[in-house]
């Protein structure tokens, strides 16, 4: 057994009740830096300790270290202490006094373990630094579902001050509007990403997030531990909404575009609840090109934008305005509701003809209107557009500023006495007269 202790990697030393050396193995002698000649059986602890600290050059430090070792022997309370020796060696030492009074000291080299622990601490610090700086919310939940860590982003999203308070946070599911606490959020995100929103009274719109879950595995984690990632997609949703908007809207005026016109017309033609005809009102501004050429495209764009605002203002609830291109527009009337086209077109023409400000003056713009109806005039959508255009061209040929309906009997757009609308009297505003001159 003595040979086994001598060859042990653990440093072992035994002193008798009078604190005289009984045994020291090779690992212990190497640890304190003494040879066999210094470790003679019967030598006092004081003599051995004095020899062990002799290499310390500073007398005060040497005396301080000697005192520490003597105190450690006197206590011999089996409580471990870590001590650093030459070459960066770290030893965990315990000294125990037996019932017979012997002192047994055991030292274990924990240098590698301490370095690994230091590496782990550094890794943890790096992880926490990265987690805290991450632009996404991170929640670490233990096996019982308690939040044990929440980074700054998660605290900001949940409007909580501490990780332990995040458990009371409530999110709203985008799919059905249900309120989801953390337990429900964990359950909902177990197999798929969950889209939720958070209402902020200081923000104009709710913020939208994707919640993604990751199970933690390995010997260092208990079953059920998980991490929730809360990813802010508010900006992405806004961009997607903008893309969807401009797919069906004119970017200059905000009116719906030709693609939306085709889709809306198709849906109206298939409506099973149609109780009245679908009316198509084709609109073309009169002599807009000279204004655009004279004042420039920027002013022309401003005029188009203002005219769309004016037309939108007089639209009835069942009507939808479209910009077909250039200075051409169309209005579709929902067939599920009837409308008084005479009164509406009268208001529309008068609103368009109100003078518009341009640099240094004002201009008046008039419009020509042609109307066709489905299925009164035709049961073909392409013909509906063509017939409205024919009626509009008749108005244009007659000088514009009026409306006409398509007459199926004449096969052409003809003025109808019931629908003729007189142009408003010339403006008495001096600036308007100057601009029109």
């Amino acid at each position: 057994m003595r040979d086994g202790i001598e060859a042990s990697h653990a440093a072992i030393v035994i002193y008798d009740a009078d604190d005289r050396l009984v045994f020291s193995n090779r690992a212990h002698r190497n640890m304190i830096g003494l040879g066999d000649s210094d470790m003679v059986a019967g030598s006092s602890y004081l003599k051995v300790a004095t020899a062990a600290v002799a290499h310390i050059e500073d007398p005060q430090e040497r005396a301080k270290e000697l005192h520490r070792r003597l105190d450690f022997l006197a206590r011999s309370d089996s409580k471990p202490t870590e001590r650093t020796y030459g070459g960066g060696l770290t030893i965990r030492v315990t000294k125990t006094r037996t019932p017979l009074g012997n002192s047994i000291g055991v030292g274990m080299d924990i240098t590698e373990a301490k370095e690994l622990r230091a590496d782990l601490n550094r890794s943890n610090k790096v992880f926490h630094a990265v987690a805290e700086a991450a632009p996404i919310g991170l929640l670490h939940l233990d096996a019982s579902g308690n939040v044990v860590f929440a980074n700054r982003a998660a605290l900001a999203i949940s409007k909580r001050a501490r990780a332990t308070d995040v458990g009371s946070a409530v999110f709203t599911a985008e799919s059905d509007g249900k309120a989801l606490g953390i337990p429900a959020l964990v359950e909902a995100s177990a197999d798929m990403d969950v889209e939720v929103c958070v209402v902020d009274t200081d923000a104009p719109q709710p913020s939208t997030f994707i919640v993604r879950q990751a199970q933690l595995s390995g010997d260092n984690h208990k079953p059920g531990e998980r991490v929730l990632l809360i990813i802010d997609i508010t900006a992405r949703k806004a961009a997607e909404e903008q893309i969807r908007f401009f797919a069906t809207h004119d970017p200059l005026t905000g009116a719906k575009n030709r693609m939306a016109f085709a889709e809306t017309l198709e849906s109206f033609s298939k409506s099973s609840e149609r109780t009245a005809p679908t009316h198509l009102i084709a609109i073309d501004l009169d002599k807009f090109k000279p204004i655009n050429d004279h004042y420039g495209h920027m002013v022309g764009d401003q005029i188009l934008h203002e005219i769309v605002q004016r037309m939108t203002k007089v639209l009835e609830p069942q009507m939808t305005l479209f910009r077909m291109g250039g200075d051409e527009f169309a209005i579709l009337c929902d067939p599920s509701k009837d409308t008084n086209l005479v009164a509406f077109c009268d208001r529309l023409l008068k609103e368009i003809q109100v003078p518009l400000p341009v640099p240094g003056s004002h201009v008046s713009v008039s419009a020509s209107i042609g109307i066709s109806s489905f299925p009164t005039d035709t049961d073909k959508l392409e013909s509906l557009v063509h017939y409205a255009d024919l009626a509009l061209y008749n108005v244009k040929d007659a000088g514009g500023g009026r409306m006409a309906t398509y007459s199926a009997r004449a096969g052409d757009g003809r003025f109808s006495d019931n629908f003729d609308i007189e142009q408003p009297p010339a403006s008495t505003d001096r600036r308007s007269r100057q601009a029109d001159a």
Side-chain angles (χ1 to χ4, degrees):
M1 178 181 288
R2 187 182 183 93
D3 291 341
I5 296 175
E6 175 67 20
S8 173
H9 291 293
I12 300 174
V13 62
I14 301 174
Y15 289 89
D16 63 17
D18 296 324
D19 296 333
R20 295 186 176 277
L21 181 64
V22 175
F23 173 79
S24 170
N25 71 349
R26 182 170 58 251
H28 177 259
R29 296 193 296 273
N30 292 338
M31 181 183 74
I32 62 176
L34 297 179
D36 293 345
S37 60
D38 298 313
M39 301 294 290
V40 178
S43 298
S44 67
Y45 183 83
L46 177 60
K47 179 180 178 181
V48 173
T50 301
V53 301
H55 67 282
I56 301 176
E57 297 181 0
D58 188 317
Q60 290 185 347
E61 290 297 323
R62 185 165 59 246
K64 184 178 178 180
E65 175 62 16
L66 179 61
H67 176 75
R68 190 187 67 78
R69 296 192 182 201
L70 292 172
D71 179 68
F72 189 50
L73 174 70
R75 284 187 288 111
S76 295
D77 55 4
S78 301
K79 293 181 180 180
T81 182
E82 290 184 8
R83 300 172 64 179
T84 302
Y85 292 87
L89 198 65
T90 302
I91 306 296
R92 177 171 291 166
V93 180
T94 58
K95 283 190 180 295
T96 304
R97 189 72 71 173
T98 69
L100 296 178
N102 294 336
S103 174
I104 301 175
V106 178
M108 298 293 297
D109 185 352
I110 61 169
T111 305
E112 184 176 356
K114 189 173 182 179
E115 290 174 350
L116 291 174
R117 185 170 61 193
D119 289 342
L120 180 61
N121 288 336
R122 283 192 292 270
S123 297
N124 284 337
K125 288 180 180 179
V126 171
F127 166 78
H128 277 81
V130 172
E132 289 294 355
I136 65 174
L138 295 173
L139 296 179
H140 178 195
L141 283 70
D142 63 18
S144 300
N146 300 310
V147 178
V148 295
F149 171 77
N151 68 347
R152 282 195 295 263
L155 294 177
I157 292 168
S158 62
K159 304 293 187 295
R160 298 296 188 272
R162 299 184 300 270
T164 52
D165 298 331
V166 175
S168 63
V170 177
F171 301 84
T172 302
E174 280 282 291
S175 58
D176 55 15
K178 288 184 178 179
L180 299 176
I182 295 298
L185 200 56
V186 169
E187 182 178 352
S189 62
D191 300 317
M192 66 168 85
D193 292 348
V194 176
E195 196 168 302
V196 298
C197 68
V198 175
V199 177
D200 186 348
T201 55
D202 297 328
Q205 297 292 335
S207 298
T208 308
F209 303 88
I210 282 179
V211 179
R212 186 171 297 162
Q213 184 177 149
Q215 292 277 354
L216 297 177
S217 59
D219 296 338
N220 296 325
H221 301 287
K222 296 180 180 179
E225 276 192 85
R226 67 199 73 217
V227 170
L228 293 184
L229 286 74
I230 309 175
I231 306 165
D232 191 342
I233 60 169
T234 306
R236 193 189 82 186
K237 293 279 286 186
E240 290 173 350
E241 183 62 31
Q242 191 173 43
I243 291 171
R244 283 193 293 269
F245 178 85
F246 285 122
T248 56
H249 289 75
D250 171 43
L252 173 63
T253 63
K256 291 193 173 184
N257 60 17
R258 185 181 290 272
M259 178 182 294
F261 173 80
E263 293 175 352
T264 306
L265 187 59
E266 181 73 20
S267 67
F268 282 178
S269 69
K270 295 179 179 179
S271 175
S272 59
E273 301 178 358
R274 183 171 57 247
T275 58
T278 296
H279 299 298
L280 169 59
I281 304 173
I283 306 163
D284 191 286
L285 302 183
D286 298 328
K287 300 178 181 178
F288 175 74
K289 187 177 184 303
I291 297 175
N292 202 36
D293 292 343
H294 180 76
Y295 291 100
H297 291 288
M298 183 175 293
V299 172
D301 287 349
Q302 293 172 353
I303 290 175
L304 287 174
H305 185 271
E306 175 60 25
I307 287 176
V308 165
Q309 297 304 306
R310 292 180 179 186
M311 288 194 289
T312 302
K313 185 170 65 174
V314 299
L315 285 181
E316 296 179 7
Q318 69 273 25
M319 297 177 176
T320 306
L321 174 65
F322 304 87
R323 184 186 181 197
M324 306 300 286
D327 58 357
E328 298 176 3
F329 301 89
I331 294 174
L332 278 173
C333 303
D334 189 333
S336 64
K337 299 177 182 178
D338 201 359
T339 186
N340 186 333
L341 290 181
V342 175
F344 171 72
C345 289
D346 184 34
R347 292 194 305 272
L348 186 65
L349 286 172
K350 288 179 179 178
E351 191 67 37
I352 292 174
Q353 290 170 350
V354 174
L356 292 154
V358 295
S361 184
H362 284 67
V363 296
S364 292
V365 178
S366 62
S368 298
I369 294 177
I371 300 174
S372 61
S373 300
F374 177 94
T376 307
D377 297 330
T378 178
D379 58 359
K380 297 179 180 179
L381 299 182
E382 59 272 17
S383 296
L384 182 69
V385 176
H386 177 60
Y387 292 163
D389 285 340
L390 287 177
L392 184 148
Y393 296 150
N394 267 345
V395 175
K396 283 281 190 183
D397 292 341
R402 305 170 69 185
M403 64 163 285
T405 57
Y406 176 77
S407 171
R409 288 179 302 171
D412 199 352
R414 299 290 177 87
F415 287 114
S416 166
D417 292 336
N418 293 330
F419 285 90
D420 279 354
I421 300 176
E422 295 294 333
Q423 297 189 54
S427 173
T428 57
D429 185 280
R430 183 171 57 86
R431 292 174 301 176
S432 296
R433 292 201 306 271
Q434 291 173 345
D436 293 336

